[in-house]
Amino acid sequence: MVQDTRSTEELSASPAFLPVTVPVPAAYKKEHPLVKVVLVNRNGKIIAESP
């Protein structure tokens, strides 16, 4: 598996953002059901979150 070393901010500007970022919070939530994962950009906008 190849790791992407770009920041979330850099990744969010690319077409690879949704396929990489959307499944991650959901997968983490499955393993840790009491945790809500929220990714927020520097402007305070929520860009991804777990269900």
Side-chain angles (χ1 to χ4, degrees):
M1 181 171 153
V2 176
Q3 283 190 320
D4 195 326
T5 58
R6 292 177 285 180
S7 70
T8 303
E9 186 173 27
E10 292 169 325
L11 185 59
S12 70
S14 81
F17 177 72
L18 289 177
V20 172
T21 308
V22 171
V24 173
Y28 190 85
K29 177 76 173 182
K30 278 186 176 180
E31 294 292 320
H32 307 278
L34 299 178
V35 175
K36 180 152 180 116
V37 179
V38 180
L39 298 178
V40 180
N41 70 12
R42 292 176 192 226
N43 296 324
K45 180 181 175 190
I46 296 173
I47 54 177
E49 64 183 299
S50 62

